[in-house]
Amino acid sequence: MPISLLKVEDSLARVRAGLEGRARRIEGRVGRELASHIGRPGKMLRSRFALLLSGALGVDQEKAEGVSRAMELVHNASLLHDDCVDEADLRRGHPTPNKIFGTTVGLLLGDLAFSQGLEEAIDISPNAPKLLVTTVREMTVGELQEEFLKGSTAVTVDAYMGVAARKTGALFEWAGAVLSELSPFPHEQSDPPRLACAAGILLQIVDDIHDYTLGERVSGKDAGQDLNNRRLTLPCIYALQDESSREAFLALWNEPKPQAVKIAALLKERGQLQKTREKGREIVDSMLAMIKKLPCKAEAAELAFFVEIMAKREF
């Protein structure tokens, strides 16, 4: 049976239980504390999006929950690796494994999380694990591109969007492609992966805004992390493109340790945060146009509502 509007929360509970079950199955080999980091969910925005999209496509509930679990596990793998690369101390309000146990353990936990995600994909369909391997390759390419751009002030909006499509959008796109294949109803096969990739890019843009609008207690991660790692996010790219703010931004950017509070004030005053929100709105509108064409109309309306929440969220 496909997921109905009223059963999304029940499905999310089963996804969480499945992630906890995977941790229990390996804790005897690596220890409970290490195993807990493999499938620990965060906001579960990816799962909720996948479940709502599956409803709009009429996909079987059990298959949709498998897609959600695979997304959460591969996403966790990417975060575990990211935290090692960034030397991050905090994630989701908790000390990172690399902070507690060291970088080597953090990287190996990421590898373990990916293997668990691949196992989930194997149970979904013959094509799902093949697509997931390609997806992880694209995510890694996006991470490498971002690394090569570190410290540069010549990053264009197009370059940013390309990195976001790979680093964040690719995993969403995988879910869209798999769910599209599983749908029993006629629809434009290319729309769900395109729609899902756009959701990933939107998520990245909203997170970029939150870097300058949410405190550490709300975001659950280190404040000013992208600035400290010399990475330009979309509001900063807009500031550099604006002649009225470029010089002031560069003066703050070139400080030995860029001050997030000062840069946030500049981005707000000169309109770059608002311009970033407008870019997010453009993406939302393109997503809503695709959602309208999905076969299960009531479920598609719920997905559209959630997309609006994704764009406006303050968490």
Side-chain angles (χ1 to χ4, degrees):
M1 293 288 292
I3 296 174
S4 68
L5 301 182
L6 299 177
K7 292 184 177 179
V8 171
E9 294 300 329
D10 290 341
S11 283
L12 283 172
R14 283 190 292 272
V15 170
R16 291 189 193 95
L19 295 173
E20 291 168 0
R22 284 202 165 272
R24 284 194 299 272
R25 287 198 294 273
I26 62 172
E27 67 182 29
R29 303 177 68 185
V30 301
R32 179 174 297 180
E33 188 172 4
L34 288 181
S36 68
H37 292 282
I38 301 300
R40 178 184 291 166
K43 306 178 191 78
M44 297 191 77
L45 295 174
R46 287 161 180 79
S47 286
R48 189 178 292 275
F49 178 86
L51 292 168
L52 289 169
L53 177 58
S54 76
L57 289 166
V59 174
D60 176 79
Q61 176 178 291
E62 186 176 342
K63 295 291 187 182
E65 290 170 6
V67 169
S68 296
R69 286 192 298 272
M71 284 186 82
E72 293 292 340
L73 287 161
V74 174
H75 176 54
N76 275 359
S78 71
L79 295 183
L80 288 161
H81 285 166
D82 282 353
D83 288 341
C84 291
V85 172
D86 296 340
E87 299 180 350
D89 295 337
L90 197 64
R91 171 72 68 177
R92 295 170 176 166
H94 299 280
T96 58
N98 52 285
K99 173 67 174 178
I100 302 169
F101 307 108
T103 299
T104 300
V105 172
L107 291 171
L108 292 172
L109 284 174
D111 294 343
L112 189 54
F114 169 65
S115 71
Q116 297 283 293
L118 193 57
E119 284 185 7
E120 286 284 353
I122 289 170
D123 292 334
I124 295 168
S125 72
N127 203 32
K130 297 177 185 178
L131 291 175
L132 188 56
V133 170
T134 301
T135 294
V136 172
R137 181 195 69 201
E138 289 303 301
M139 293 170 67
T140 306
V141 168
E143 293 280 2
L144 284 169
Q145 290 175 332
E146 186 178 64
E147 189 68 16
F148 289 140
L149 292 171
K150 185 186 292 187
S152 173
T153 56
V155 183
T156 65
V157 173
D158 285 345
Y160 167 90
M161 295 295 283
V163 169
R166 294 178 181 90
K167 179 185 171 184
T168 310
L171 187 55
F172 278 84
E173 187 174 2
W174 171 79
V178 171
L179 292 171
S180 184
E181 287 184 353
L182 293 172
S183 174
F185 299 115
H187 66 281
E188 180 59 53
Q189 291 285 323
S190 63
D191 275 354
R194 287 173 53 225
L195 165 65
C197 184
I201 296 171
L202 176 64
L203 195 68
Q204 184 63 63
I205 289 174
V206 172
D207 280 347
D208 286 355
I209 295 169
H210 287 173
D211 282 346
Y212 300 102
T213 60
L214 295 186
E216 186 177 291
R217 289 183 63 184
V218 178
S219 67
K221 59 184 180 180
D222 300 319
Q225 188 168 297
D226 284 317
L227 285 175
N228 293 334
N229 287 303
R230 314 302 292 174
R231 293 195 186 105
L232 287 178
T233 54
L234 190 56
C236 299
I237 295 170
Y238 283 141
L240 285 166
Q241 291 181 341
D242 186 345
E243 289 300 322
S244 70
S245 61
R246 178 180 174 86
E247 186 175 344
F249 177 82
L250 284 173
L252 294 171
W253 171 262
N254 289 325
E255 291 183 3
K257 185 175 182 180
Q259 299 296 310
V261 173
K262 292 181 181 178
I263 290 179
L266 175 69
L267 296 174
K268 182 178 180 180
E269 176 189 342
R270 303 298 174 89
Q272 278 88 40
L273 287 179
Q274 180 57 32
K275 189 171 183 179
T276 304
R277 292 188 180 95
E278 291 168 0
K279 183 65 175 178
R281 185 68 242 177
E282 289 178 19
I283 293 173
V284 168
D285 290 342
S286 71
M287 293 173 68
L288 295 179
M290 286 184 276
I291 290 171
K292 284 182 180 179
K293 296 190 290 180
L294 296 176
C296 302
K297 300 306 179 185
E299 289 80 0
E302 182 74 5
L303 174 60
F305 179 71
F306 178 67
V307 166
E308 294 281 7
I309 292 174
M310 283 181 67
K312 298 172 182 176
R313 66 187 176 90
E314 291 294 336
F315 57 91

